[in-house]
Amino acid sequence: MTVRAIVLAAGKGTRMKCDLPKVLHTIAGRPIVGWVVKAILDAGITDITVVIPPDSDAVAAALPDGVRSVVQHERGGTGHATRIALEAIGDVAKDTVLVIAGDTPLFTSATVAALVAAHRGPATVLTTRVPDPTGYGRIRRSADGVVVAIVEEKDADDTTRAIDEVAMSTYAFDGASLAEALPKLGRANAKGEEYLTDVVGMLAPVAGFDVADHRETLGVNSHDQLAEAEALMRARINLAWMQAGVWMQDPATTYLDATVQLESGVRLLPGVHLEGSTSVGGGAVVGPQTLVVDSTIGAGSRVGYSVVRGAEIGEHVEVGPFASIRPGTVLRRGSKAGTFVEIKASDVGEGSKVPHLSYVGDATIGEESNLGAGTITCNYDGRQKHRTVIGDRVFIGSDTMLVAPVEVGDDAVTGAGSVITRDVSPGALAVERSQQKEIPGYAARRGRLDESEGE
Amino acid sequence: MTVRAIVLAAGKGTRMKCDLPKVLHTIAGRPIVGWVVKAILDAGITDITVVIPPDSDAVAAALPDGVRSVVQHERGGTGHATRIALEAIGDVAKDTVLVIAGDTPLFTSATVAALVAAHRGPATVLTTRVPDPTGYGRIRRSADGVVVAIVEEKDADDTTRAIDEVAMSTYAFDGASLAEALPKLGRANAKGEEYLTDVVGMLAPVAGFDVADHRETLGVNSHDQLAEAEALMRARINLAWMQAGVWMQDPATTYLDATVQLESGVRLLPGVHLEGSTSVGGGAVVGPQTLVVDSTIGAGSRVGYSVVRGAEIGEHVEVGPFASIRPGTVLRRGSKAGTFVEIKASDVGEGSKVPHLSYVGDATIGEESNLGAGTITCNYDGRQKHRTVIGDRVFIGSDTMLVAPVEVGDDAVTGAGSVITRDVSPGALAVERSQQKEIPGYAARRGRLDESEGE
Amino acid sequence: MTVRAIVLAAGKGTRMKCDLPKVLHTIAGRPIVGWVVKAILDAGITDITVVIPPDSDAVAAALPDGVRSVVQHERGGTGHATRIALEAIGDVAKDTVLVIAGDTPLFTSATVAALVAAHRGPATVLTTRVPDPTGYGRIRRSADGVVVAIVEEKDADDTTRAIDEVAMSTYAFDGASLAEALPKLGRANAKGEEYLTDVVGMLAPVAGFDVADHRETLGVNSHDQLAEAEALMRARINLAWMQAGVWMQDPATTYLDATVQLESGVRLLPGVHLEGSTSVGGGAVVGPQTLVVDSTIGAGSRVGYSVVRGAEIGEHVEVGPFASIRPGTVLRRGSKAGTFVEIKASDVGEGSKVPHLSYVGDATIGEESNLGAGTITCNYDGRQKHRTVIGDRVFIGSDTMLVAPVEVGDDAVTGAGSVITRDVSPGALAVERSQQKEIPGYAARRGRLDESEGE
């Protein structure tokens, strides 16, 4: 038996009062529809067809390779969507066909697998029990437990309204039964659409599969539901990492993409965002208030009150507080990017330090060098970028401007306040400075003051 | 029929173990008493009298224009407070008089309007059902539902104690009945005060109006209740914005004043505070960890890890990470205030960039200019501030000091590390610098080192 | 009667998938076992023995003076642990012996005292009622309320499984009864360990003491339970401070060590961490997003978006946004450390200001002085640190390098962009600068540009 899955991501409610298609809003860094597709894939089902609305190239582009997408050009309803999906799939007479809502990001692969395993007969309806069933289709079961009807709110009497088991727009169908029933659907209803629930009506009595945790079936139709789903997914992801030995002071404000990798012994302080392909080694401490995107942080490093993007941070490196590490940066073992330090597309060697108030861009720094406060690599001449090369054990004085392209040799020293425009030989001191002059009694004549300072 | 409202903001509990009067503590940027008055005004009731404690000029000053304030000079109780309010109002014989607690900031205009609409007979008592009624006056109703008594905790038998419907210190009165009953109140009780609840006792049986959500009636008497009210108000405000199409990754840590305006498509990351008259345009991304006060942020701009006060930020502007934008600043379309950048009272033209480690104060910058890292406008001479004027397409070299008043013409360039004290002509290069000198073999004699750098 | 306490911090589950011993993980800055010991001490019990696992010198070191520690060298079970503790204590025949789990940080001194007071007969078992008793030993009581058995999950029938009163691994024993029963424990069970619960079985029927709030008995066995305990402790600590008059906008994201002291009227914004011996004076405003460790903040000061460690901040001082104040710093009354400012081991006099983009290390600054933007004290020559001394009413121009050791006299001024290597006399102007030169028409020949700026 082959299992084929159809994900319904078109139809009504494809926007949430903003421009981005609903199912492309991300939760923990992954689009809503991506979560649904991943749950199906993780359940071992590889034949997946996603029905998308027109003008949704972005949705199709967000799907993993091998997932089929079909555009529903008209507002034809869930029945119509399923029908055009079947047309794309071909013959399903001997298959099981899952139809799953595309806006339920919390749906798990375990539930997908359990639904398939529980499926019997012409159809199995996914149901769950909710605290407040108002608005949902209620599940009416017979004495022996089979689902005899899904009753819409408007058709429900008081007894039926009191039922808290509801239908979740997700089903397993016998392929032949589904293919036979779909063409019989009419559009003689208020919206003029073909409803998949009517197929269930035709095939009833059917099996019902009750999902224990109703939150798993949360559909996202508005930004407040999206935020609720994000919070539930955050709790789920963080619980898994904590159970794997990661310390979090406050998981409620720890934001991890689903794609992040952590070793046990990692410590995450509040307000940490780890995104994309980021990984963190054991014993590293990240946060508070730190954003790390597509970067590696080595074991034993400390990164706090900082923003790190596209960087490779070695072991026992110190970053921050208040550092911005930009793409293409490598901070090697034991190095430091301290306070009010920005580093971009540079390689900082082992044990080298950039402790304060510096901008380092397009530079290569050797080992055990030290850049004084206020060091700036002047890498841009208004037309193109140039590289700065600093050797080992170099001592750059405070407020040194390194006008690239320029090279400072091993063991060299620069004087504070110097503008270095020519290469410095190994072991040399380079200095660019005038004589200090003193005008006595200046304070008394301060009316003529022409020096100033920022305030 | 005229409806007049009396807000009781005096009496016991006017402080919460700190100096600020209780009702002046703010929730989402608005004082507690301001929330109550606004709910009344929004219900269409314009005749409002607030009873305030002595030495509370600040409370009176916080009230909107047209709202009457009356000082209760003695601890006379709620009955006395209502009596002196009536003296200030005048004849209410043909009116409905609302008496509302001044410390219930979550009270909504819808409930005020519903109370007025439901009001019948001599008085209507606002009630609600609470999970734990301990300490509240319980509502005893007759078989036909009218309120026959409010029973205080100490007078309640077990049956009455089990009642979870409680009185909320808020009432609608027939003006004539109230005016007639108030003078009959005595002070023969433990505290020697006149209690408004005794008026209800005189007029009983009366109507009861049950508020469905008891949290709406939360009275603030301590800082923990204030924090609870703040959290509930935050949830209410954020829900409304999410339903209007605003994305929030974590509404629990998104702090919006009630006065803020957002367009749909705005994206707010965790730790964002938007305060005062701030407005944000569609597609703008704010946060994480950003404070914006009394500022506008244009559509498509990105502001993260920054503090912005009293500024006007145009469309597609980039701010931060780690920027401080201070009052009087205008950042025009496509401009940038980057990392470790502070800008104050300055106008940054379209497409101009201040990417790193700069202080710009009292400056006017034209279009498409670029300020190098470490640029500082020296705007203060110890006595007064002076302006810096920079033209279009100017290229300021790194670590340039612009000693104001000074003007740099269009297309001019300054050399890195220069102190610019005189105006620079359009198209010219200005440089202030000595010759770079090199002392070979310096590292070997480093014992004589007199240069240094901060660590 | 003497009461002696034994705390069980060895046995199974001494690690939580990371290297740090479980009971040394901190909650609000105090190790888990430290919370348990403190609750016992605060209940007036001073004879405390903690049973620790081998290779746990760190645990022993974390205990307060006077607390005995005993190493359990083998995995002998709770009975064995209690037995070796008794051997270390000596004769307890006339004493009450408490045995308390070492991993229950929320346990209060009030509960310890109440358990002692309620203790009767040979033993009293601490119990509580939990929402989901699965996995716990159920308490079976007789009709008259005494505990007749603790039934393990695996031995429980359906009736017993439905019991929600469970045993919490904490007991009060009659010393003689305990000493007599312990040697009778066998190891003929699956794990080959001596179980303390079997002692209760020998002594039954015993008394039961029911803790009203089951969360108080939360045992920490994994990082998610640790985070849960941290959140509960945070709520408990913050509630106490709010009731004492401290304002918190969002107590859920306000992180206070148990050792911190606050005056009423303190205002804490979201994302504040106060740690160690920190104290904050009345009217001070701290946050948002601020870390303060082992520091004092005076009344009326404002510290926001900053990191402060080991510093003494006087009254009415302004720090931040974006400042890093490091150990050994004193900021005196009315002084300011502004935006992108780092200060280390320095004394900033009354009314003196370091407003922007500065590094001040190993400096003494007098009163009413002003350091321009970009000021750096060059305190390190690559071998050792030197001090900078600045007098009263000094005006340091922007981008001044102060090459230490150096002294600037009262009322002196330095020119913007100067490198000051020699002392400056009181009242003098010191300047180090070349002539500004201008090369006209430079923009037209910009192909030869060799100046640059960072981007």
Side-chain angles (χ1 to χ4, degrees), chain B residues 267-315:
Chain B
R267 297 175 70 83
L268 302 179
L269 288 149
V272 163
H273 301 246
L274 304 183
E275 299 183 0
S277 61
T278 293
S279 66
V280 184
V285 181
V286 184
Q289 313 309 337
T290 292
L291 169 64
V292 184
V293 183
D294 295 334
S295 300
T296 60
I297 297 179
S301 289
R302 304 182 70 97
V303 181
Y305 291 102
S306 293
V307 176
V308 177
R309 295 176 183 274
E312 185 185 325
I313 296 179
E315 299 186 354

Side-chain angles (χ1 to χ4, degrees), chain B residues 152-239:
Chain B
E152 297 302 319
E153 178 89 14
K154 63 179 169 47
D155 303 326
D157 57 18
D158 282 357
T159 308
T160 304
R161 270 173 217 254
I163 296 171
D164 68 349
E165 184 181 13
V166 300
M168 292 315 307
S169 310
T170 289
Y171 314 90
F173 288 105
D174 167 64
S177 304
L178 177 65
E180 190 185 327
L182 276 175
K184 300 177 188 167
L185 287 176
R187 296 191 176 192
N189 51 45
K191 293 198 177 168
E193 296 184 357
E194 301 167 30
Y195 294 132
L196 193 58
T197 45
D198 289 347
V199 167
V200 178
M202 292 178 203
L203 302 177
V206 298
F209 177 76
D210 184 9
V211 179
D213 185 350
H214 71 89
R215 294 172 304 180
E216 205 180 301
T217 64
L218 176 71
V220 173
N221 293 298
S222 59
H223 277 283
D224 56 295
Q225 289 176 330
L226 178 63
E228 186 184 350
E230 171 96 26
L232 289 167
M233 189 66 82
R234 185 158 65 241
R236 187 189 285 178
I237 289 172
N238 289 354
L239 177 60

